[in-house]
Amino acid sequence: MLVDSNVILDVATSDARWCEWSAQALERAANRCTLVINPIIYAEVSIGYKRIEDLELGLPPGVFRRDALPYAAGFLAGKAFLQYRKRGGGKKLPLPDFYIGAHAAISGFRLLTRDAARYRTYFPTVELLTPGQ
């Protein structure tokens, strides 16, 4: 299961609104399957840390498997971004969510996230685990 950075950051920062849900969702997922991150997720989570050593403690390799972003996911992310632009999206470069969603789609991963709207719109084949499920 690919884990979106917002879920990890909720726990790392003790987010008042989402920490409890994210911590429980991570624990349930870890008990059922392998948790996966990619370089995009790693980069987004790194913003919450001052030192790489602290980030490594927060994302222990024994808990989070690190997968490369497949080139096919890069292609799919670009296509999803074009759809976003055609629908009036204002960003000039693909957002990290497009790479994360494409990685999940290409690799057949479920995605643990609390921000499902963009993923549902641009990656409808990806099974999402979100609040309320």
Side-chain angles (χ1 to χ4, degrees):
M1 175 177 303
L2 197 60
V3 181
D4 198 357
S5 52
N6 57 32
V7 173
I8 298 167
L9 285 169
D10 288 344
V11 176
T13 63
S14 298
D15 182 89
R17 181 173 180 195
W18 292 107
C19 183
E20 184 177 344
W21 179 86
S22 292
Q24 290 175 358
L26 271 172
E27 184 177 347
R28 282 191 308 271
N31 288 332
R32 290 189 307 231
C33 58
T34 301
L35 302 179
V36 180
I37 60 171
N38 64 31
I40 303 289
I41 295 163
Y42 189 91
E44 286 189 313
V45 173
S46 76
I47 293 168
Y49 294 86
K50 292 183 181 179
R51 301 175 333 126
I52 194 168
E53 295 83 3
D54 296 331
L55 175 60
E56 285 295 312
L57 290 173
L59 294 173
V63 175
F64 293 94
R65 188 177 84 199
R66 287 142 162 81
D67 283 9
L69 187 69
Y71 280 89
F75 181 82
L76 182 57
K79 297 304 175 198
F81 180 71
L82 283 175
Q83 288 179 13
Y84 161 83
R85 293 284 294 165
K86 287 178 183 176
R87 292 178 176 177
K91 300 290 182 180
K92 301 293 183 198
L93 297 172
L95 304 168
D97 289 350
F98 288 110
Y99 293 105
I100 293 167
H103 188 181
I106 292 296
S107 298
F109 292 145
R110 291 174 287 161
L111 180 60
L112 175 59
T113 185
R114 63 170 168 75
D115 184 20
R118 184 171 290 131
Y119 296 119
R120 283 197 177 112
T121 300
Y122 296 101
F123 305 98
T125 63
V126 174
E127 180 184 345
L128 302 177
L129 281 86
T130 59
Q133 289 183 310

